[in-house]
Amino acid sequence: MNYYLKEIKPLNSRSNKTGGAKIRQDVEKILSKQNFTAIAIPNIPRLGNIDYISVSLLNHYRVMRLWQKRIAFLKEGDNLVIQFPLIIQHSIFLKRVLKSLTRKKIKIILIIHDLESLRVTKRQDISIIKQFILNKEEKLFLKYAFKIIVHNSTMKRYLIKQGFEKQKLISIEIFDYLISNFDKNKFESRKIAKNQPIIIAGTLRYHKASYIYHLPSNVKFNLYGVGYDEKIQQSNVNYNGAFSPEELPYRLDGSYGLVWDGDSIYSCTGIYGKYLRINDPHKLSLYLVAGLPVIIWKGAAQADFVRKNGCGLIIDSLTNIQSIINSVSNENYLLMKRRAQKMGEKLHSGFFLKKLLNQLI
C-alpha cells in the first residue's frame, strides 16, 4: 500500500500568502489523486518553557511517540512519502521511528523542499542549538530514505558529494503548481506583453530580497508578495500587494517573471542568492503556470531548465536588463510565451510529480 504523512498545523495569514504551504498542499493533492492514503500527524502544542533542555527534550519525545502510534500499522512492502523539512521540528528522537520502518522493510520516499543546511542554518539570527537540530534532522532523514526526490541535477550532485548514494536520488526537474477551479477567462484578461513591466513575486522581505530596493531605474517592475517596505519610494516600482498562491497567477500583469534573490543587482549573492545555485524556486513554477516567460540568473540551477525548454532569458546582472530585453524581437518573445504556457499546462496538471511516482511505485 502507498501512504503519505500529512502534517497538520494551523496556517496563519502570513503563510497563506507565501509558497511554502502551497507546494506541500499540491504534493498532497497529487498523492491523493494517485491513490496514496494520508496518515495525519497533528500538531502537538509545546509544553512549558522550551528554554529548559528537559522541557525541550520532552516535546521531542512526545512527537516521537505520536509518530510511533500513527504509523504502527504499516507493514513490509508499504511505501511512505514524507515531505521534508518537517513542519513540526521536534524530531531528534525520530531516528527510532525511521530505523523501525527500515527494519520492517517499509520504503521511505523523501521529497526535499529545502536543504536547511544550506539556507536557514547559515543565518546569523539562528541559534547554535537550532542549527545543530536542523542539521542533525536533515542527515537523519536523508540517511534512512529509500529514495530521495531532489530538485535538479545540481542538488543531486551536491548530495552525492556529501556521501549519499547516487541510486537513492531522483530529480523532479521542477515542482508542479496546481490551480483549483481554473478560470480561463480570468487568465486571458491579464496584460501579458513584451512592453509591460517585469514581475517580481514571492517573499519580498529584506533578509531574502534586499536587491529589490536597488533595482535599475530605467526598467519598470510590478511587485507581488509579503514583506515589501512601501515607505521606500521607487518611481519605477509598482507594489501590487500580496495574494494567496491560488489567486496570484490571475493577478500577474507584466512581460517576464524575474527569478532572482539576495542583496545585489549585480549577481545573486548572500545566503538566499547563493541558494539559487542548488534549489528550484517555486516562483519559477508560478511564472510558468501563469504563462509568463522568465528572466533568471545564469548561476541558478534552474537556468539549465529555462535554457532547455526555451521559456525565458538567462542573465548575469540586472544592470543590463533593459538592453537584453530590447534585443528580443516580438517573434522571439511570443515564442517564449507559448513555450511558457505549454510548460504551465504541465505544471497545472501535476505532470512532474506524477511522472516520478510512476517510476518509483
Side-chain angles (χ1 to χ4, degrees), residues 163-176:
F164 296 100
E165 301 93 329
K166 181 178 180 180
Q167 65 271 18
K168 288 176 64 168
L169 307 170
I170 182 168
S171 169
I172 195 171
E173 295 186 76
I174 187 171
F175 282 97
D176 300 296

Side-chain angles (χ1 to χ4, degrees), residues 151-154 171-174 280 284 288 294 296 300-314 335-336 339-340 342-343 346 351-352 355:
H151 294 197
N152 50 61
S153 57
T154 303
S171 169
I172 195 171
E173 295 186 76
I174 187 171
D280 286 1
L284 175 60
L288 293 175
V294 301
I296 189 170
Q302 284 298 72
D304 287 339
F305 181 88
V306 173
R307 184 183 296 109
K308 182 175 71 174
N309 290 285
C311 54
L313 305 174
I314 299 165
L335 178 60
M336 286 189 291
R339 288 171 174 167
K342 186 176 180 180
M343 182 57 65
K346 286 186 173 183
F351 171 84
F352 287 92
K355 181 179 71 172

Side-chain angles (χ1 to χ4, degrees), residues 194 256 325-336:
K194 184 176 180 288
Y256 298 88
I325 292 172
N326 290 341
S327 69
V328 177
S329 67
N330 290 332
E331 292 78 11
N332 283 340
Y333 177 81
L334 291 175
L335 178 60
M336 286 189 291

Side-chain angles (χ1 to χ4, degrees), residues 39-259:
I39 301 175
I41 302 289
N43 179 45
I44 300 181
R46 294 175 177 176
L47 293 177
N49 186 344
I50 61 173
D51 290 335
Y52 292 103
I53 295 177
S54 59
V55 175
S56 180
L57 290 175
L58 176 59
N59 285 319
H60 284 275
Y61 178 79
R62 291 169 67 232
V63 169
M64 180 198 72
R65 293 294 295 158
L66 174 63
W67 277 55
Q68 288 175 329
K69 181 178 178 181
R70 292 299 173 109
I71 65 175
F73 70 94
L74 294 176
K75 60 184 184 301
E76 181 177 339
D78 287 341
N79 297 296
L80 177 63
V81 175
I82 300 175
Q83 299 193 69
F84 189 83
L86 303 177
I87 296 174
I88 305 166
Q89 293 176 336
H90 291 300
S91 56
I92 63 172
F93 294 134
L94 288 181
K95 180 177 181 179
R96 299 184 193 178
V97 179
L98 298 175
K99 286 182 73 173
S100 173
L101 289 171
T102 55
R103 284 197 203 103
K104 291 170 69 175
K105 297 184 180 178
I106 295 161
K107 296 176 182 177
I108 300 171
I109 300 171
L110 203 65
I111 298 180
I112 298 292
H113 291 308
D114 281 304
L115 291 175
E116 301 294 42
S117 58
L118 297 176
R119 193 179 69 131
V120 172
T121 63
K122 301 294 184 182
R123 286 167 43 184
Q124 293 183 350
D125 61 330
I126 301 299
S127 69
I128 293 175
I129 293 175
K130 184 160 186 182
Q131 289 177 28
F132 172 79
I133 291 173
L134 290 175
N135 284 324
K136 181 179 177 66
E137 177 187 83
E138 185 172 289
K139 291 177 181 177
L140 183 67
F141 275 80
L142 291 170
K143 175 182 177 181
Y144 285 100
F146 171 72
K147 291 290 183 182
I148 304 170
I149 296 177
V150 300
H151 294 197
N152 50 61
S153 57
T154 303
M155 183 178 284
K156 184 176 180 178
R157 288 194 296 270
Y158 169 79
L159 289 175
I160 291 171
K161 288 182 180 178
Q162 300 305 305
F164 296 100
E165 301 93 329
K166 181 178 180 180
Q167 65 271 18
K168 288 176 64 168
L169 307 170
I170 182 168
S171 169
I172 195 171
E173 295 186 76
I174 187 171
F175 282 97
D176 300 296
Y177 197 113
L178 308 185
I179 303 177
S180 303
N181 304 314
F182 179 74
D183 189 331
K184 186 177 180 181
N185 292 329
K186 281 178 66 176
F187 227 60
E188 293 178 347
S189 66
R190 296 170 306 138
K191 298 176 183 177
I192 305 296
K194 184 176 180 288
N195 61 352
Q196 293 293 310
I198 294 171
I199 294 169
I200 301 175
T203 300
L204 305 176
R205 293 187 176 86
Y206 197 87
H207 77 274
K208 186 174 187 291
S210 58
Y211 78 91
I212 62 175
Y213 301 103
H214 309 285
L215 292 167
S217 59
N218 62 339
V219 184
K220 291 184 178 180
F221 296 88
N222 281 339
L223 271 58
Y224 303 80
V226 296
Y228 180 64
D229 187 354
E230 297 182 72
K231 295 177 183 178
I232 300 178
Q233 298 295 317
Q234 295 172 281
S235 60
N236 61 319
V237 173
N238 181 35
Y239 176 60
N240 293 279
F243 302 92
S244 72
E246 288 282 331
E247 179 67 16
L248 188 53
Y250 296 111
R251 297 281 186 166
L252 300 180
D253 291 325
S255 54
Y256 298 88
L258 179 64
V259 181

Side-chain angles (χ1 to χ4, degrees), residues 26-39:
D26 282 354
V27 167
E28 290 175 358
K29 288 178 183 178
I30 294 168
L31 290 170
S32 181
K33 288 179 180 179
Q34 297 298 106
N35 297 317
F36 281 71
T37 301
I39 301 175

Side-chain angles (χ1 to χ4, degrees), residues 271-282:
I271 295 170
Y272 290 93
K274 292 176 182 177
Y275 191 53
L276 278 179
R277 292 184 179 274
I278 197 167
N279 85 310
D280 286 1
H282 202 223

